[in-house]
């Protein structure tokens, strides 16, 4: 009986969180009031939609066995589309409504951050060689209660790199964290084990690792280094694959790699100023956007959830939105200065906004993703330039990492009211 009650309470929490995520705050509040002794603090989340999606897909599967990787890759719940309007468009609040609710200190410059695919965990990496794993739900719960001084979000601290950590990624299906560093290694950590602080597996490269991305199914890992050749590793065997045609490769160090949610494509960017699109199955380059940011290096690439668009930013202080099918720029986001530091342009969780830091004012800028209209910048209180910015895939939260040895966790507290 007790187990059934707990299951029912979890169900109600998921329903309230989904309603808030979809913008039905009034309905969610009414439901909370009608449930005597029910959930009171539920952050906006699309977890219920994801669970239902998985259930509907599994009903159509014949036979039994392991869950297909395609089901574990996650299902997009909303995406920017310039051809059609979205019913839930503009439900997400502007970035100027976000507040710092938690600060994660390091002993060196904070260089990398990432969220888990479900948004429940996050991680930060630093020049001090450490990686800190953060419980996002704990931060949100304490923030909603006004107990920010009681937030102790770090649940694991991992050490195994000999030099600075440059990139980190959560595995899409299992509790494994991958990291790359200036010590020319890729490390794999089983962070679910409380006593584990060292990697259980590693890959030795010959040059510093700059970026990485897991295949949505979790079986492969893309790695970009200070060399122009893209590496594709089998996660289970650590066997390395590269394109059979040397002309496919970039001519400069790799700055960013990212899979499309469908896994049919992946994108890479480089100091050579180009962006390349690759076939996710054959590992061959299918399109190249040369000089995509004038003659400057490209800092980052990011796919939209529907895999129709690619967001890039470069040291020309611009972010461009590309239509993948035609290879043309359909939106340019201007106003943020980014000429010396390599940072990112990212979508928010609903893809209503494009976000990019400004190294001159140490602020975070945002634009309407469809109209490219710039809104009021967010003052960050960082004392040094922002090196990395990542937005949660499931809630109004993001992390900014700076040379001031701090990572700041931002959240829109108005969504909890």
């Amino acid at each position: 009986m007790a187990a059934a009650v707990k299951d029912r309470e979890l169900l109600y929490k998921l329903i309230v969180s989904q309603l808030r995520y979809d913008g039905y705050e009034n309905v969610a509040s009414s439901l909370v009031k009608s449930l005597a002794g029910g959930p009171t603090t539920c952050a906006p989340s699309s977890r219920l939609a994801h669970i239902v999606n998985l259930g509907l897909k599994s009903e159509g599967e014949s036979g039994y066995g392991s869950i297909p990787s395609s089901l574990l890759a996650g299902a997009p719940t909303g995406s920017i589309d310039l051809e059609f309007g979205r019913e839930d468009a503009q439900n997400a609040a502007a970035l100027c409504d976000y507040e710092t609710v938690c600060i994660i200190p390091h002993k060196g410059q904070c260089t990398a951050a990432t969220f888990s695919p479900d948004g429940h965990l996050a991680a930060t990496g630093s020049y001090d060689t450490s990686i800190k794993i953060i419980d996002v739900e704990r931060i949100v719960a304490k923030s909603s209660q006004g107990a920010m001084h009681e937030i102790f979000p770090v649940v694991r601290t991992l050490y195994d790199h000999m030099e600075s950590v440059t990139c980190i990624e959560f595995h899409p299906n299992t509790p494994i964290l991958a990291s790359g560093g200036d010590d020319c290694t890729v490390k794999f950590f089983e962070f679910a084990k409380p006593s584990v602080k060292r990697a259980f597996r590693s890959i030795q490269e010959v040059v510093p690792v700059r970026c990485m991305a897991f295949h949505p199914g979790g079986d492969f890992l893309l790695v970009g280094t200070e060399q122009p050749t893209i590496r594709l590793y089998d996660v289970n065997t650590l066997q390395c694959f590269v394109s059979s045609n040397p002309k496919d490769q970039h001519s400069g160090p790799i700055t960013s790699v990212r899979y499309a949610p469908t896994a049919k494509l992946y994108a890479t960017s480089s100091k050579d100023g180009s962006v390349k699109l690759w076939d996710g199955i054959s590992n061959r380059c299918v399109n190249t956007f040369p000089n995509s940011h004038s003659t400057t290096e490209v800092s980052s690439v990011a796919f939209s959830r529907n895999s129709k668009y690619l967001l890039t930013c470069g040291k020309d202080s611009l972010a461009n939105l590309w239509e993948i099918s035609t290879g043309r720029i359909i939106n340019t986001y201007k106003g943020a200065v980014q000429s010396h530091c390599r940072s990112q342009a990212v979508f928010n969780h609903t893809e209503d906004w494009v976000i990019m830091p400004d190294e001159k004012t140490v602020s975070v800028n945002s634009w309407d993703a469809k109209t490219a209209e710039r809104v009021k910048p967010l003052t960050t209180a960082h004392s040094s330039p922002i090196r990395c910015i990542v937005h949660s895939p499931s809630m109004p939260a993001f992390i900014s990492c700076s040379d001031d040895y701090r990572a700041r966790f931002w959240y829109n507290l108005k969504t909890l009211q």
Side-chain angles (χ1 to χ4, degrees):
M1 183 64 180
V5 171
K6 288 188 69 175
D7 289 344
R8 188 68 63 178
E9 289 177 351
L10 176 59
L11 174 62
Y12 292 150
K13 286 184 178 180
L14 290 173
I15 293 172
V16 173
S17 295
Q18 184 69 48
L19 287 170
R20 285 176 171 162
Y21 180 86
D22 292 337
Y24 299 107
E25 180 61 36
N26 293 335
V27 179
S29 299
S30 298
L31 180 57
V32 169
K33 291 179 181 178
S34 63
L35 295 171
T40 56
T41 57
C42 299
S45 169
S46 61
R47 186 181 175 193
L48 179 60
H50 179 63
I51 292 172
V52 171
N53 212 313
L54 291 179
L56 291 174
K57 286 183 178 180
S58 63
E59 280 184 353
E61 294 290 328
S62 58
Y64 297 91
S66 61
I67 299 176
S69 295
S70 58
L71 297 184
L72 298 171
T77 57
S79 180
I80 180 176
D81 198 327
L82 302 188
E83 297 178 8
F84 304 98
R86 277 174 43 202
E87 293 180 0
D88 63 340
Q90 297 303 323
N91 275 336
L95 208 69
C96 56
D97 292 329
Y98 285 49
E99 302 174 41
T100 298
V101 296
C102 182
I103 296 176
I104 300 95
H106 280 273
K107 295 178 182 178
Q109 295 167 316
C110 198
T111 54
T114 188
F115 280 91
S116 62
D118 59 11
H120 295 166
L121 296 172
T124 60
S126 169
Y127 266 60
D128 65 10
T129 74
S130 72
I131 299 168
K132 295 186 177 184
I133 298 179
I134 304 156
D135 188 332
V136 173
E137 292 186 328
R138 183 184 300 178
I139 296 176
V140 175
K142 289 292 184 181
S143 300
S144 65
Q145 298 166 8
M148 297 182 194
H149 61 284
E150 299 177 5
I151 297 177
F152 303 100
V154 178
V155 294
R156 298 282 186 279
T157 301
L158 309 174
Y159 294 96
D160 208 16
H161 284 281
M162 300 301 293
E163 296 184 44
S164 63
V165 178
T166 56
C167 52
I168 43 181
E169 289 287 329
F170 283 97
H171 191 279
N173 309 330
T174 59
I176 291 174
L177 183 79
S179 63
D182 279 336
D183 57 0
C184 309
T185 63
V186 175
K187 305 281 188 179
F188 296 88
F189 298 87
E190 290 182 305
F191 62 85
K193 299 178 180 179
S195 60
V196 172
K197 295 184 182 294
R198 303 289 180 181
F200 73 95
R201 179 181 292 178
S202 65
I203 299 171
Q204 184 66 53
E205 290 285 357
V206 295
V207 292
V209 178
R210 288 289 168 256
C211 50
M212 62 175 61
F214 276 108
H215 184 282
D219 296 327
F220 298 95
L221 179 71
L222 281 173
V223 176
T225 70
E226 283 293 324
Q227 289 184 339
T229 303
I230 303 294
R231 280 92 155 148
L232 178 66
Y233 286 96
D234 185 306
V235 172
N236 298 309
T237 65
L238 299 188
Q239 185 176 358
C240 181
F241 304 91
V242 297
S243 173
S244 58
N245 185 0
K247 294 182 179 179
D248 283 350
Q249 303 296 340
H250 287 279
S251 59
I254 309 303
T255 57
S256 181
V257 294
R258 193 58 54 189
Y259 268 103
T262 60
K264 294 179 180 179
L265 292 171
Y266 65 86
T268 61
S269 63
S270 169
K271 282 187 177 181
D272 64 14
S274 69
V275 171
K276 288 180 178 286
L277 292 173
W278 305 71
D279 186 304
I281 298 175
S282 68
N283 204 29
R284 292 291 306 273
C285 179
V286 295
N287 202 357
T288 300
F289 306 150
N291 298 319
S292 54
H293 283 267
S294 301
T295 57
T296 64
E297 72 174 76
V298 185
S299 302
S300 72
V301 292
F303 282 94
S304 63
R305 284 196 179 118
N306 57 19
S307 300
K308 286 185 177 182
Y309 307 103
L310 185 72
L311 179 66
T312 67
C313 80
K315 289 190 175 180
D316 58 354
S317 300
L318 299 177
N320 293 328
L321 187 67
W322 302 76
E323 186 176 44
I324 293 175
S325 60
T326 62
R328 64 188 179 94
I329 297 174
I330 53 178
N331 263 343
T332 296
Y333 309 97
K334 306 176 182 179
V337 176
Q338 191 179 117
S339 56
H340 295 94
C341 300
R342 183 189 304 157
S343 191
Q344 302 82 23
V346 297
F347 291 109
N348 75 324
H349 64 299
T350 61
E351 297 190 353
D352 290 327
W353 304 99
V354 169
I355 303 167
M356 187 170 79
D358 186 314
E359 66 182 40
K360 185 177 181 180
T361 61
V362 199
S363 62
V364 177
N365 285 243
S366 58
W367 299 261
D368 184 299
K370 286 191 173 184
T371 66
E373 180 182 352
R374 185 171 175 239
V375 298
K376 180 182 177 182
L378 175 67
T379 303
T380 63
H382 280 297
S383 59
S384 299
I386 296 171
R387 293 285 180 178
C388 177
I389 188 167
V390 291
H391 199 285
S392 167
S394 60
M395 64 178 68
F398 74 91
I399 295 174
S400 59
C401 298
S402 171
D403 284 352
D404 64 5
Y405 296 13
R406 289 174 174 82
R408 288 179 175 267
F409 186 94
W410 301 80
Y411 193 83
N412 184 358
L413 295 175
K414 293 182 178 180
T415 61
L416 301 176
Q417 296 174 358

